[in-house]
Amino acid sequence: MQMQPKVGIESISVHVPRYFVDLKTLAAANDVDPGKYYHGLGVRRMAVVAPDEDPVTMAVEAARALIERNKLDGGRIGLLVVGTESGVDGAKPIAAYVHGLVGLSGECRTFDAKHACYSGTAALRMAADWCAVHGTQHRNKALVIATDIARYDEGSAGEPTQGAGAVAMLVGDEPHVLELDLRNEAVFSREVMDFWRPNYRSSAMVDGKTSISSYLSALKNTYLTHRAASGFGWDDYEYLLFHVPFPKMAYKAFRVLCGLERNDNADDQFDLRSGPALWANRELGNIYSGSLYLSLAGLLEKGGRKVEGARIGLFSYGSGCCAEFFTGRLGTDSKNWADKIGIGAGLDRRTELTYEQYLAFRKNGNALACDGSYTGDPQGAAFGRLRKVFYCGIRDHRRMYFVNDNVAQVARNSGIETRSRRSSVAV
Ligand code: CAA
């Protein structure tokens, strides 16, 4: 029998946006008991993007951090796939902007994948298959990025499940983070109108209850298919990770699996097998395509040696819908995880918004950046210097990005229209 090549995630990095709203603040404004958001949904804070951040800048920051922290040779990347629900253009993919702003080789296939929150997994699985085929070539690494801003109407039931962020993953034949089991996959698709965002809207539409039941029925379907095909059973997984639109959803999902496995110890088991992966999701909120991978990154960043070598089961769900249950084994490189993933450091640097500031960002964010009037706040300025890429609105129908000089050089070489950030501009 032919040996399966080793393929999976070699390194992972998370970009945390620079502002947040505490869900107690939102609850007070919406005249809702904060217990509903904190305990009923399991969210504490939701990440909010600054007017000069967008899905492109978040993706670039995550990718840049991944490359710099791990001293990666960008020349080895032959595939760049961005999974996103928050596309910024009907034709031009976010991947094209990222390719130029990060400065990757021209010999690189670039495109976006779209299927709501499943798009990050679609990108990862396609990249893993691509890596398996390109195993021995020089340019055999893939960069997969999941980047999204989760946005619902003001005052709606979905509003407390908003969030934003990006996760970048290097995929290749040295899976120090997660070796994927490529043989066993269980996928499920069915057309359903549970969550969607028409092109003319910046906020998603959702039928919340339908979305939850569709998620859970896709979970049952894929878990049972995977169990029958793979022979892996309940006891084979040390951790079970889920797509996390809000942390309570992971608990609902875990309980469904306990029901299928006739395990009546759901709460204790959840605390052991899924709870440790949810702390970052509580802080950032839903990041759509990256939510499952934010859980993975959270498990690694705090798990240390305890999680080394663990077999994990992962469930990805994208409304619309497409879902997948798949498995992998964590690497044994935990000393490198804690300081390279970047969630804790990103959380330490962010600034809390009042409800009024949050509303102003919502309403005027892009307009402020477009006319150049956004100058940030003092704390933002300190954080801003650590960032390299800034969205600055649309001119002549083109998205404009300010970039720091060294990045600008790369971008100019790639033909991307940019303007260098003057040091006198405060952000
Ligand atoms: N203290 C503690 N708990 C409280 C409470 C209080 N004071 N008040 C209410 N709760 C509990 C409720 O009992 C309920 O718990 P259970 O789910 O265990 O029954 C929970 O808080 C939520 O209350 P409601 O069901 O009344 O909440 P809602 O209907 O107003 O909104 C929601 C919930 C439908 C999930 C809404 O937030 C929403 O539409 N979110 C967006 C859609 C979504 O995230 N769907 C998930 C599946 S789809 C998917 O995963 C793709 C994706 O990313 C979008």
Side-chain angles (χ1 to χ4, degrees), residues 9 13 33 68 70 80 91 94 101 109 147 165 167 176 199 204 255 258 264 305 341 356 381 407:
I9 303 173
S13 169
D33 181 340
E68 286 176 8
N70 294 284
L80 163 62
I94 289 178
L101 291 164
R109 189 175 281 147
T147 181
V167 181
H176 302 299
N199 287 341
R255 286 190 69 89
C258 284
D264 51 15
R305 294 194 65 176
I341 294 174
E356 290 68 29
V407 183

Short mmCIF file of all heavy atoms in Angstrom, two decimals, residues 9 13 33 68 70 80 91 94 101 109 147 165 167 176 199 204 255 258 264 305 341 356 381 407:
data_model
loop_
_atom_site.label_atom_id
_atom_site.label_comp_id
_atom_site.label_asym_id
_atom_site.label_seq_id
_atom_site.Cartn_x
_atom_site.Cartn_y
_atom_site.Cartn_z
N ILE A 9 -0.70 21.50 9.31
CA ILE A 9 -0.36 22.89 9.64
C ILE A 9 1.02 22.93 10.28
O ILE A 9 1.27 22.27 11.29
CB ILE A 9 -1.42 23.48 10.60
CG1 ILE A 9 -2.82 23.38 9.97
CG2 ILE A 9 -1.08 24.92 10.96
CD1 ILE A 9 -3.96 23.78 10.91
N SER A 13 -0.84 31.65 13.19
CA SER A 13 -0.73 32.97 13.81
C SER A 13 -2.08 33.67 13.76
O SER A 13 -2.83 33.52 12.80
CB SER A 13 0.31 33.77 13.01
OG SER A 13 0.30 35.10 13.38
N ASP A 33 -30.45 41.53 29.93
CA ASP A 33 -29.68 41.04 31.08
C ASP A 33 -28.31 40.57 30.59
O ASP A 33 -28.23 39.73 29.70
CB ASP A 33 -30.46 39.87 31.71
CG ASP A 33 -29.75 39.29 32.93
OD1 ASP A 33 -28.52 39.49 33.09
OD2 ASP A 33 -30.43 38.61 33.70
N GLU A 68 7.26 36.33 9.94
CA GLU A 68 8.37 36.89 10.72
C GLU A 68 8.68 36.06 11.97
O GLU A 68 9.83 35.75 12.26
CB GLU A 68 8.06 38.34 11.09
CG GLU A 68 8.20 39.25 9.87
CD GLU A 68 7.81 40.70 10.14
OE1 GLU A 68 7.57 41.05 11.31
OE2 GLU A 68 7.74 41.46 9.15
N ASN A 70 8.18 33.01 12.59
CA ASN A 70 8.71 31.67 12.32
C ASN A 70 9.88 31.69 11.34
O ASN A 70 10.34 30.64 10.91
CB ASN A 70 7.59 30.77 11.78
CG ASN A 70 6.52 30.50 12.82
OD1 ASN A 70 6.73 29.71 13.74
ND2 ASN A 70 5.39 31.18 12.70
N LEU A 80 -1.57 30.42 -2.24
CA LEU A 80 -2.16 31.29 -1.21
C LEU A 80 -3.67 31.25 -1.38
O LEU A 80 -4.20 31.64 -2.42
CB LEU A 80 -1.63 32.72 -1.39
CG LEU A 80 -2.41 33.84 -0.68
CD1 LEU A 80 -2.39 33.66 0.84
CD2 LEU A 80 -1.83 35.20 -1.04
N ALA A 91 -14.80 41.01 -7.82
CA ALA A 91 -13.92 40.28 -8.72
C ALA A 91 -12.55 40.02 -8.11
O ALA A 91 -12.06 38.90 -8.12
CB ALA A 91 -13.76 41.06 -10.02
N ILE A 94 -9.27 38.89 -2.03
CA ILE A 94 -8.41 39.39 -0.95
C ILE A 94 -7.01 38.80 -1.12
O ILE A 94 -6.00 39.45 -0.86
CB ILE A 94 -9.02 39.02 0.42
CG1 ILE A 94 -10.28 39.85 0.66
CG2 ILE A 94 -8.02 39.22 1.55
CD1 ILE A 94 -11.01 39.55 1.96
N LEU A 101 0.93 42.71 -0.83
CA LEU A 101 1.33 43.43 0.38
C LEU A 101 2.30 42.62 1.24
O LEU A 101 3.12 43.18 1.96
CB LEU A 101 0.09 43.82 1.19
CG LEU A 101 -0.77 44.90 0.52
CD1 LEU A 101 -2.16 44.97 1.15
CD2 LEU A 101 -0.09 46.27 0.61
N ARG A 109 -0.07 30.41 -6.87
CA ARG A 109 -1.49 30.43 -7.24
C ARG A 109 -2.25 31.14 -6.13
O ARG A 109 -2.06 30.81 -4.96
CB ARG A 109 -1.97 28.99 -7.39
CG ARG A 109 -3.33 28.83 -7.96
CD ARG A 109 -3.65 27.37 -8.19
NE ARG A 109 -3.05 26.85 -9.39
CZ ARG A 109 -2.61 25.57 -9.52
NH1 ARG A 109 -2.71 24.74 -8.53
NH2 ARG A 109 -2.09 25.19 -10.66
N THR A 147 -10.03 35.24 7.19
CA THR A 147 -10.15 36.62 7.69
C THR A 147 -11.59 37.10 7.55
O THR A 147 -12.20 36.94 6.49
CB THR A 147 -9.19 37.57 6.92
OG1 THR A 147 -9.32 38.90 7.44
CG2 THR A 147 -9.46 37.62 5.42
N GLY A 165 -11.33 39.18 13.13
CA GLY A 165 -9.97 38.66 13.32
C GLY A 165 -9.53 37.86 12.12
O GLY A 165 -10.31 37.62 11.18
N VAL A 167 -6.78 34.46 10.97
CA VAL A 167 -5.86 33.38 11.36
C VAL A 167 -5.07 32.99 10.10
O VAL A 167 -5.67 32.76 9.05
CB VAL A 167 -6.64 32.14 11.86
CG1 VAL A 167 -5.67 31.04 12.29
CG2 VAL A 167 -7.56 32.50 13.02
N HIS A 176 4.21 20.66 12.27
CA HIS A 176 4.57 20.78 13.70
C HIS A 176 3.37 21.13 14.56
O HIS A 176 3.38 20.93 15.76
CB HIS A 176 5.64 21.87 13.88
CG HIS A 176 6.88 21.62 13.10
ND1 HIS A 176 7.65 20.51 13.30
CD2 HIS A 176 7.46 22.32 12.10
CE1 HIS A 176 8.67 20.53 12.46
NE2 HIS A 176 8.58 21.62 11.72
N ASN A 199 -25.19 41.10 -1.65
CA ASN A 199 -24.06 41.96 -2.04
C ASN A 199 -24.25 43.42 -1.65
O ASN A 199 -23.28 44.15 -1.47
CB ASN A 199 -23.84 41.88 -3.55
CG ASN A 199 -23.23 40.56 -3.94
OD1 ASN A 199 -22.67 39.87 -3.10
ND2 ASN A 199 -23.37 40.19 -5.21
N ALA A 204 -24.83 40.81 7.94
CA ALA A 204 -25.41 39.53 7.54
C ALA A 204 -26.89 39.48 7.91
O ALA A 204 -27.34 40.15 8.84
CB ALA A 204 -24.67 38.40 8.23
N ARG A 255 -22.84 18.39 23.39
CA ARG A 255 -23.95 17.60 23.98
C ARG A 255 -24.58 16.69 22.93
O ARG A 255 -24.99 15.57 23.25
CB ARG A 255 -25.01 18.54 24.57
CG ARG A 255 -24.58 19.20 25.86
CD ARG A 255 -25.74 19.91 26.52
NE ARG A 255 -26.72 18.96 27.02
CZ ARG A 255 -26.71 18.42 28.24
NH1 ARG A 255 -25.76 18.75 29.09
NH2 ARG A 255 -27.63 17.57 28.61
N CYS A 258 -22.40 13.73 22.67
CA CYS A 258 -22.58 12.88 23.85
C CYS A 258 -23.85 12.04 23.70
O CYS A 258 -23.88 10.87 24.05
CB CYS A 258 -22.68 13.72 25.13
SG CYS A 258 -21.08 14.33 25.65
N ASP A 264 -23.42 10.08 29.32
CA ASP A 264 -24.26 10.98 30.11
C ASP A 264 -23.44 11.87 31.05
O ASP A 264 -23.95 12.42 32.02
CB ASP A 264 -25.34 10.20 30.88
CG ASP A 264 -24.75 9.05 31.67
OD1 ASP A 264 -23.52 9.07 31.82
OD2 ASP A 264 -25.51 8.16 32.09
N ARG A 305 2.59 21.68 26.99
CA ARG A 305 2.98 20.27 26.83
C ARG A 305 1.82 19.31 27.01
O ARG A 305 1.83 18.20 26.48
CB ARG A 305 4.09 19.94 27.82
CG ARG A 305 5.36 20.70 27.49
CD ARG A 305 6.53 20.17 28.22
NE ARG A 305 6.84 18.80 27.77
CZ ARG A 305 7.88 18.11 28.20
NH1 ARG A 305 8.71 18.64 29.07
NH2 ARG A 305 8.11 16.89 27.77
N ILE A 341 1.98 32.43 18.43
CA ILE A 341 0.62 32.49 17.91
C ILE A 341 0.06 33.91 18.02
O ILE A 341 -0.56 34.41 17.10
CB ILE A 341 -0.27 31.45 18.63
CG1 ILE A 341 0.23 30.04 18.26
CG2 ILE A 341 -1.73 31.62 18.24
CD1 ILE A 341 -0.44 28.91 18.98
N GLU A 356 -20.94 54.37 22.58
CA GLU A 356 -21.04 55.46 21.60
C GLU A 356 -19.88 55.38 20.59
O GLU A 356 -20.07 55.61 19.39
CB GLU A 356 -21.02 56.84 22.31
CG GLU A 356 -22.27 57.15 23.11
CD GLU A 356 -22.45 56.27 24.35
OE1 GLU A 356 -21.42 55.82 24.93
OE2 GLU A 356 -23.61 56.03 24.75
N ALA A 381 -2.27 54.73 18.90
CA ALA A 381 -1.02 55.15 18.28
C ALA A 381 0.11 54.19 18.62
O ALA A 381 0.90 53.80 17.76
CB ALA A 381 -0.67 56.56 18.72
N VAL A 407 7.47 47.49 3.78
CA VAL A 407 6.41 46.75 3.14
C VAL A 407 6.01 47.45 1.84
O VAL A 407 5.73 46.81 0.84
CB VAL A 407 5.18 46.62 4.07
CG1 VAL A 407 4.10 45.78 3.41
CG2 VAL A 407 5.61 45.98 5.38
#
